[in-house]
Amino acid sequence: MSVTVTGIVLIAALMHALWNALLKSSTDRLTELATLNLAAGVVAFLALPFVGLPSKESWPFLAVTLAFHCGYYLFLLRSYAQGGLSLVYPIARGASPILVAALSAVVAGERIEGFQAAGVFLIAASIASLAFAGGRKQLSSKAVLFSLGTSVMIAGYTVTDGSGARVSGSVISYVACLFVMNAFPLLVVLSILRPREGLRGLRRHWKTGTLGGFLSVGAYGLVIWAMTEGPMALVSALRETSVVLAAVIGATFLQEPFGRARVLASVGVAAGVFVLRLAS
């Protein structure tokens, strides 16, 4: 994978970390995320007349990825009901690069080995290690299982979007359609769980939601483009460095402790990225 693609994925990881920091600092994460998705959908909808629709070959992928995204939200909400952010998020994001490597080998024939496989494993293991920083007492078997289910959904939509973008004829068109469709699932969930408070919540969170929406479109759009230029497993591993970047942002701006575990995880992720560059 070229230096340019690597750099762009790392920029996307930073953007991903920034909108996750906005979400993490919110007092109502469900409403914040619903607002973010709605804002991203509006941005994408306004772009559609200019970028057009992707090719028909990519439409089945869009349908499948929407199902994976819905599954992702369901598993993520169940995960947070069973465990905290510091447990759920690293497991969900850390396990997904390994699953993407396995799925992309089956679906797209992209097999990684040697230093590439070592780099992906090192990044994934370093990210997942953050979940165990609080000791065994904070572990919940149900939270771990739902977090792993979340990682399966992440891997599913990552490989689906990478494959769909490659036959779309236009990555921008594919991304725009994806975000338009993805604007609705959480709105439905919000209207069911909070029928009276939902609209007021959207109004309260529209500023941070809009900013997060722009960052979300940019971050995932760049990642989807990168998967048309390089192996999906490598792109996925680099994208998930956003977990450590989010921890740095949290420590810098949200007065969260960084600690020895996060330092070691950061070193492990940096080493994994270095190994991937050696393998390229």
Side-chain angles (χ1 to χ4, degrees), residues 1-46:
M1 195 160 59
S2 70
V3 175
T4 300
V5 175
T6 300
I8 286 174
V9 177
L10 291 176
I11 291 171
L14 176 59
M15 296 171 72
H16 185 83
L18 287 171
W19 77 252
N20 271 275
L22 289 173
L23 180 63
K24 191 175 183 180
S25 62
S26 175
T27 56
D28 184 353
R29 292 186 183 123
L30 173 59
T31 304
E32 185 78 40
L33 189 55
T35 309
L36 184 154
N37 281 0
L38 177 61
V42 170
V43 171
F45 180 75
L46 293 176

Side-chain angles (χ1 to χ4, degrees), residues 8 31 39 43 57 69 89 127 138 141 149 173 189 223 231 235 247 262:
I8 286 174
T31 304
V43 171
E57 288 79 8
H69 275 88
Y89 197 66
I127 292 168
Q138 293 188 11
S141 57
S173 299
V189 172
V223 165
V235 173
R262 287 180 172 176

Side-chain angles (χ1 to χ4, degrees), residues 15-260:
M15 296 171 72
H16 185 83
L18 287 171
W19 77 252
N20 271 275
L22 289 173
L23 180 63
K24 191 175 183 180
S25 62
S26 175
T27 56
D28 184 353
R29 292 186 183 123
L30 173 59
T31 304
E32 185 78 40
L33 189 55
T35 309
L36 184 154
N37 281 0
L38 177 61
V42 170
V43 171
F45 180 75
L46 293 176
L48 273 180
F50 302 97
V51 302
L53 295 174
S55 67
K56 291 183 179 179
E57 288 79 8
S58 68
W59 292 3
F61 293 96
L62 285 167
V64 172
T65 197
L66 181 61
F68 274 123
H69 275 88
C70 290
Y72 164 74
Y73 294 128
L74 289 174
F75 272 98
L76 188 64
L77 291 172
R78 288 296 298 159
S79 299
Y80 285 143
Q82 301 293 333
L85 185 71
S86 60
L87 171 66
V88 170
Y89 197 66
I91 293 177
R93 307 309 303 198
S96 61
I98 304 297
L99 296 174
V100 169
L103 277 175
S104 61
V106 174
V107 174
E110 293 182 355
R111 290 174 173 81
I112 59 171
E113 53 189 20
F115 279 114
Q116 288 185 335
V120 169
F121 179 80
L122 186 53
I123 290 172
S126 299
I127 292 168
S129 71
L130 291 171
F132 304 94
R136 293 184 179 181
K137 291 182 179 180
Q138 293 188 11
L139 293 178
S140 161
S141 57
K142 288 186 178 180
V144 171
L145 286 174
F146 280 116
S147 300
L148 290 173
T150 304
S151 70
V152 172
M153 297 298 110
I154 293 171
Y157 70 64
T158 298
V159 173
T160 302
D161 288 334
S163 302
R166 291 175 179 180
V167 298
S168 66
S170 170
V171 175
I172 297 177
S173 299
Y174 184 92
V175 171
C177 285
L178 171 61
F179 275 95
V180 168
M181 295 190 308
N182 201 40
F184 299 102
L186 275 185
L187 290 178
V188 175
V189 172
L190 191 62
S191 65
I192 293 173
L193 296 180
R194 304 173 188 174
R196 296 182 180 180
E197 301 175 6
L199 185 58
R200 289 196 297 270
L202 292 176
R203 289 173 179 171
R204 282 197 308 271
H205 293 270
W206 76 269
K207 290 183 180 179
T208 53
T210 300
L211 176 58
F214 275 101
L215 290 170
S216 177
V217 171
Y220 199 50
L222 290 175
V223 165
I224 292 178
W225 171 82
M227 287 191 291
T228 67
E229 300 292 323
M232 287 183 270
L234 304 191
V235 173
S236 173
L238 288 174
R239 189 261 307 271
E240 301 308 352
T241 59
S242 63
V243 175
V244 173
L245 293 174
V248 174
I249 292 170
T252 305
F253 298 103
L254 304 179
Q255 287 74 54
E256 295 181 349
F258 198 72
R260 183 170 59 182

Side-chain angles (χ1 to χ4, degrees), residues 256-273:
E256 295 181 349
F258 198 72
R260 183 170 59 182
R262 287 180 172 176
V263 171
L264 292 175
S266 300
V267 171
V269 166
V273 173

